[in-house]
């Protein structure tokens, strides 16, 4: 069957204009206002368990030396320099980790309650920028994002299958799909800080040297 082709428009602008990129991704993936309403509607479901979910995520990150060391090497910026931690002894109750947990809780709150406007788009972009700046490898970013997505979907369906008030009417499938779409956009915004056409061109030139 012949499929009509929609114009992407100014493709170079996808890498320079955050709003333009966000709109393209939403159009391609099929993110609508209904999806955002479903995500906002999940606030009473996910909000009360946010602290527990965040602990689960950071415990997972600390369970692997490859991800734990990303926090360990940043400790001097946030923790007491007199604390002589080793990678093995570094733990989740340090000042740095308290700050990290608060930051991700704030972002989760934004996702669940705030409009998906330019401020949200800037925050999606910031997540990529700050992690790339401290040289967290993309493989660990993707692994963490997949873990968070799975935990989120698990929480949605756990509520759906519970006896909690409103569970029977809750659209777990639609909400899970909405989160998957938005997390895919978040993933692209993160990835763009690791590799875009300009980065690839630079890498190709350096490989010839």
């Amino acid at each position: 069957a012949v499929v009509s082709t929609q114009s992407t428009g100014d493709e170079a602008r996808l890498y320079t204009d955050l709003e333009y990129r966000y709109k393209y991704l939403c159009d391609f993936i099929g993110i609508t206002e209904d999806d955002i309403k479903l995500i906002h509607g999940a606030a009473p479901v996910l909000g009360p368990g946010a602290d527990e979910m965040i602990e689960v995520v950071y415990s997972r990150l600390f369970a692997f030396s490859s991800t734990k060391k990303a926090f360990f090497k940043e400790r001097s910026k946030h923790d007491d320099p007199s604390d002589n931690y080793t990678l093995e002894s570094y733990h989740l109750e340090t000042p740095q980790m308290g700050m990290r947990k608060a930051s991700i809780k704030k972002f989760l709150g934004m996702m669940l309650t705030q409009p998906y406007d330019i401020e949200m788009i800037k925050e999606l972009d910031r997540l990529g920028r700050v992690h790339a700046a401290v040289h967290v490898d993309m493989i660990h970013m993707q692994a963490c994002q997949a873990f968070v997505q799975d935990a989120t979907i698990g929480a949605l369906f756990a509520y759906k299958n519970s006896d909690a008030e409103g569970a029977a009417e809750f659209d777990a499938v639609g909400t899970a799909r909405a989160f998957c779409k938005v997390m895919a956009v978040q993933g692209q915004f993160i990835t763009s800080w690791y590799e875009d056409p300009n980065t690839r061109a630079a890498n190709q030139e350096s490989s010839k040297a």
Side-chain angles (χ1 to χ4, degrees), residues 4 16 75 162:
S4 60
T16 59
R75 68 193 185 285
S162 73

Side-chain angles (χ1 to χ4, degrees), residues 107 111 124 127 145 182-191:
F107 175 66
M111 288 187 70
L124 294 174
L127 288 173
Q145 187 174 17
V182 169
M183 287 179 174
V185 172
Q186 179 188 0
Q188 200 292 317
F189 270 76
I190 291 172
T191 303

Side-chain angles (χ1 to χ4, degrees), residues 2-178:
V2 176
V3 180
S4 60
T5 303
Q6 299 184 52
S7 172
T8 305
D10 186 350
E11 293 189 30
R13 192 176 168 192
L14 293 172
Y15 301 95
T16 59
D17 187 324
L18 296 180
E19 286 188 272
Y20 191 81
R21 184 195 312 168
Y22 178 77
K23 184 178 184 305
Y24 163 73
L25 291 169
C26 288
D27 288 346
F28 192 103
I29 297 170
I31 298 175
T32 68
E33 283 300 315
D34 287 339
D35 290 308
I36 305 306
K37 289 178 181 177
L38 285 169
I39 291 173
H40 287 168
V45 178
L46 297 177
D51 288 332
E52 181 180 355
M53 182 182 293
I54 290 167
E55 285 295 330
V56 169
V57 170
Y58 277 100
S59 293
R60 191 67 169 179
L61 289 167
F62 267 48
F64 293 83
S65 60
S66 56
T67 45
K68 185 178 183 180
K69 68 182 181 183
F71 302 103
F72 183 68
K73 70 182 182 181
E74 292 292 303
R75 68 193 185 285
S76 63
K77 299 177 182 178
H78 310 279
D79 299 334
D80 187 336
S82 66
D83 292 331
N84 297 317
Y85 290 115
T86 63
L87 178 62
E88 186 67 26
S89 66
Y90 199 62
H91 57 84
L92 288 168
E93 304 309 317
T94 60
Q96 177 191 189
M97 299 318 300
M99 179 272 292
R100 303 288 185 195
K101 293 175 192 177
S103 179
I104 198 67
K105 185 176 182 178
K106 179 181 178 182
F107 175 66
L108 178 60
M110 285 183 65
M111 288 187 70
L112 293 174
T113 63
Q114 298 301 308
Y116 281 58
D117 55 12
I118 184 58
E119 294 306 314
M120 179 69 78
I121 294 169
K122 287 179 179 178
E123 183 63 16
L124 294 174
D125 185 62
R126 187 190 71 83
L127 288 173
R129 183 177 72 251
V130 298
H131 286 91
V134 296
H135 308 294
V136 177
D137 289 347
M138 173 53 64
I139 187 173
H140 307 313
M141 295 297 297
Q142 292 173 329
C144 182
Q145 187 174 17
F147 186 82
V148 170
Q149 180 171 297
D150 180 67
T152 302
I153 294 173
L156 295 174
F157 279 92
Y159 172 76
K160 176 65 176 178
N161 295 327
S162 73
D163 296 326
E165 183 179 353
E169 298 78 27
F170 180 65
D171 183 2
V173 172
T175 305
R177 291 184 65 192

